[in-house]
Amino acid sequence: MTKFSRRQFLATAGASTAFTLFLHGCASSSSNSGNAPTPAAASSTNNAVNVSAADAPEVTTAKLGFIALTDAAPLIIAKEKGLFEKYGMTDVSVEKQASWGTTRDNLELGSGGGGIDGAHILTPMPYLMALGTVTKQPVPMYILARLNVNGQGIMLSNTYKDLNIGADTKALKGAFAKEKSSGRDLKMAMTFPGGTHDLWIRYWMAAGGINPDQDVSTIVVPPPQMVANIKVSNMEGFCVGEPWPLQTVNQQIGYMAVTTGEIWKDHPEKAFAMRAEWVDKHPKAAMALLKAVLEAQQWCDRAENKQEMCEILAKREWFKVPVTDIIDRSTGKYDYGTGRVEDYSNSLVMKYWRDNASFPYKSHDLWFLTEDIRWGYLPADTDTRKIVDQVNREDLWREAAKAIGVAEAEIPTTSSRGVETFFDGVKFDPENPEAYLNGLAIKKV
C-alpha cells in the first residue's frame, strides 16, 4: 500500500491553499470571522426552558466552528433561534472557519488554546484526527450527530459541457486523456484529503476508469473559493457542498455533472463533532448542545421554514451570498446548468432530520474509513471497528433525542443501515468491508 503520511497530507493541503491564496489574496469570504453577532433575545422563537439543577450544564460557554456550506445550517439556526440558550448554553459562539484545515487546527488547539471545542465537520475528519493522521498528535474526538445527508455537487467547467457528462465518467476519461496529452496539468478540486468531497469525486471518477491519482491532479481548495477558481479556468471541476454548486450554475461558468445523492442516495455527509476531552469534562453541557442541534435540524427540515433559513444563511455574518444561490436546492429544485432541471424535494434534496438523516450510523462511518484505506490515507491494517466505537457516540444521540421528545419509533435501534448500493451497482456490506474493498478496480491498496 502507498503510505500517505501526515507530512504528505499537510503538503497537499498547503500547496493547494497557497494556490488559492495566490489567486484570491486574503478574501473576506474565507476569513476566520469570529462569532456572528446575533442577539438571542432578538432572534429566538423559543423561551428558555426551566433547566433543572440536575440537568444544568457545567459550563454555559462553548466555541463551535462552521464552514460556509448549507449543511452548517443546524448550528447557525441553533444560534439564531436561541436554541442553545433554551437548553442553558447561554454563551455559545459559532465561528466561521477559513477552511477544513483551519477547522482541524482550531479543534486541535481547543478553546483553551485559542481554538474551538466542536464543529460542523466532514464526517471522516474526526477519525483522521483521533488517529493522528492529520494532526501533530492524536486528538480524541466524538461524533454526536450527523448534520445532513445528500446535497453536494460535482461540477465541471463549461469546457466539457458538450460531452453531457453525468454519473458515467467514461467519456470524461477520453477527454482528460486528450487534454493531458497536450501538456495540460488537469486539476480536480475537493476540500480536504480523505474528506467526504474527496471521496465522492474519487469514487465518481474511478467508476468510469479515471485514476484520481494518475490521470488528474486532485487538489485542495476551500469551499468558498471553488467558484472563483473555476471561473478563471484553474481547474476542470470540483466537488463541494451548497451553495457553491448552484452559484456556479447561476453565474454560468460551469455545470453540475451529478449531485452526490445520485452516486449514493441519502448518503451521510457532515457531522457535529466535539473534542472528546470537552464532552467528557462537561457531559451535561455537551448534551445541551446536542439537544439544541437536533431541534435545529428538525426546524431546518420543515418546508415552511426553508425561505427563512436561506435568508438567515445568506446574511453577511454567515455566508454573504444572494438568497438565490441557496433557496432552489434547499427546496429541491436542481438546475444542472445544461437545460436539465429536476425536482428532488421528495428524494435527493439535502435532509437534516427526516429519513433518519441526523442519526450517526456506525455503518456509514465504516464506509468512510474503508474508502480512506482504499486511497492510502489510512493503513490497511487500521482497526476500523475499534476506532468507530471510540469516536461515534450514537448513544448520546439517542439520549438527546429522547430528551427532546422524539418518538421511540423514530429513534434507530441498530448501528447499521444495512447494505448500501451505489450508482454503479457496487454494494457495501458493513458486515464485510474487506469484500467491498477487494472488489474495487482502481485503488492504492
Side-chain angles (χ1 to χ4, degrees):
M1 186 194 86
T2 302
K3 181 171 175 58
F4 202 91
S5 67
R6 180 180 182 276
R7 182 186 296 269
Q8 289 170 302
F9 253 91
L10 297 180
T12 301
S16 299
T17 300
F19 166 77
T20 53
L21 288 176
F22 173 79
L23 178 63
H24 302 295
C26 298
S28 61
S29 65
S30 62
S31 65
N32 192 338
S33 65
N35 180 52
T38 308
S43 62
S44 177
T45 58
N46 302 278
N47 295 322
V49 298
N50 293 320
V51 179
S52 69
D55 292 332
E58 302 85 356
V59 294
T60 59
T61 300
K63 292 185 177 182
L64 306 177
F66 82 99
I67 295 285
L69 294 164
T70 310
D71 40 38
L75 267 62
I76 295 168
I77 292 302
K79 177 66 180 177
E80 287 262 354
K81 292 294 180 181
L83 295 174
F84 292 127
E85 290 88 345
K86 174 180 176 179
Y87 291 103
M89 297 298 292
T90 56
D91 189 20
V92 176
S93 61
V94 180
E95 305 181 359
K96 186 181 291 185
Q97 308 296 297
S99 66
W100 293 118
T102 304
T103 300
R104 171 205 58 204
D105 293 345
N106 282 330
L107 281 168
E108 187 168 11
L109 289 171
S111 61
I116 56 180
D117 304 305
H120 152 252
I121 200 166
L122 301 165
T123 287
M125 285 183 64
Y127 289 100
L128 297 172
M129 294 178 66
L131 291 166
T133 306
V134 298
T135 47
K136 296 175 184 177
Q137 57 190 2
V139 179
M141 296 289 297
Y142 289 153
I143 287 177
L144 304 184
R146 198 81 65 212
L147 287 179
N148 69 298
V149 300
N150 298 330
Q152 317 304 295
I154 296 181
M155 312 298 293
L156 288 171
S157 76
N158 286 332
T159 302
Y160 304 97
K161 201 166 187 176
D162 291 344
L163 294 177
N164 198 28
I165 301 296
D168 188 342
T169 57
K170 292 184 180 67
L172 189 61
K173 176 179 172 64
F176 278 178
K178 182 178 179 181
E179 292 291 329
K180 193 172 182 178
S181 68
S182 68
R184 288 191 60 214
D185 181 16
L186 306 180
K187 300 182 181 73
M188 294 292 282
M190 43 78 179
T191 61
F192 191 84
T196 56
H197 302 125
D198 186 20
L199 301 182
W200 305 138
I201 203 165
R202 284 173 175 271
Y203 191 101
W204 176 71
M205 288 192 290
I210 300 170
N211 190 314
D213 292 315
Q214 298 176 10
D215 299 332
V216 297
S217 296
T218 307
I219 65 169
V220 175
V221 175
Q225 297 179 14
M226 291 290 191
V227 178
N229 274 278
I230 204 164
K231 188 174 185 177
V232 295
S233 302
N234 277 329
M235 56 198 194
E236 314 307 304
F238 61 85
C239 181
V240 77
E242 298 296 341
W244 312 115
L246 180 55
Q247 186 175 96
T248 302
V249 170
N250 285 344
Q251 294 186 15
Q252 300 182 344
I253 55 177
Y255 73 99
M256 189 168 78
V258 66
T259 181
T260 49
E262 292 176 88
I263 295 175
W264 177 9
K265 186 179 185 297
D266 289 344
H267 67 76
E269 183 49 42
K270 304 301 188 300
F272 172 42
M274 297 197 73
R275 288 171 54 94
E277 178 184 39
W278 195 95
V279 175
D280 291 342
K281 186 177 181 180
H282 312 108
K284 295 176 184 178
M287 183 57 58
L289 292 174
L290 183 52
K291 291 175 187 176
V293 170
L294 297 193
E295 190 169 324
Q297 288 183 275
Q298 293 174 324
W299 188 94
C300 289
D301 242 5
R302 296 188 187 110
E304 64 269 22
N305 295 334
K306 293 296 186 182
Q307 181 68 37
E308 183 183 358
M309 181 189 81
C310 293
E311 289 172 358
I312 289 171
L313 298 181
K315 289 180 180 180
R316 182 180 182 277
E317 60 265 33
W318 300 119
F319 293 4
K320 195 181 178 181
V321 299
V323 175
T324 52
D325 285 347
I326 313 176
I327 186 63
D328 279 3
R329 293 189 178 183
S330 292
T331 58
K333 179 184 176 183
Y334 275 67
D335 182 346
Y336 284 65
T338 59
R340 176 187 176 190
V341 179
E342 301 284 354
D343 178 4
Y344 289 143
S345 57
N346 292 314
S347 56
L348 304 183
V349 70
M350 184 183 294
K351 303 171 189 175
Y352 301 98
W353 182 260
R354 60 190 170 110
D355 298 330
N356 295 329
S358 173
F359 184 73
Y361 285 103
K362 290 185 177 182
S363 60
H364 291 164
D365 292 359
L366 187 60
W367 180 84
F368 284 121
L369 294 178
T370 303
E371 280 289 304
D372 276 339
I373 290 173
R374 174 188 186 182
W375 299 114
Y377 294 127
L378 290 175
D381 62 355
T382 301
D383 190 338
T384 54
R385 295 187 188 280
K386 179 180 179 180
I387 191 65
V388 167
D389 285 340
Q390 291 173 356
V391 173
N392 186 303
R393 295 303 306 272
E394 62 174 38
D395 58 320
L396 297 182
W397 188 99
R398 290 192 180 96
E399 182 181 342
K402 290 177 182 177
I404 66 171
V406 176
E408 193 74 27
E410 296 178 22
I411 299 177
T413 58
T414 67
S415 299
S416 175
R417 202 171 67 177
V419 176
E420 305 284 351
T421 304
F422 297 83
F423 78 101
D424 56 352
V426 172
K427 296 181 183 295
F428 175 75
D429 183 351
E431 297 300 318
N432 191 2
E434 294 80 10
Y436 165 84
L437 188 59
N438 291 337
L440 297 169
I442 298 179
K443 58 193 175 199
K444 279 192 174 181
V445 293

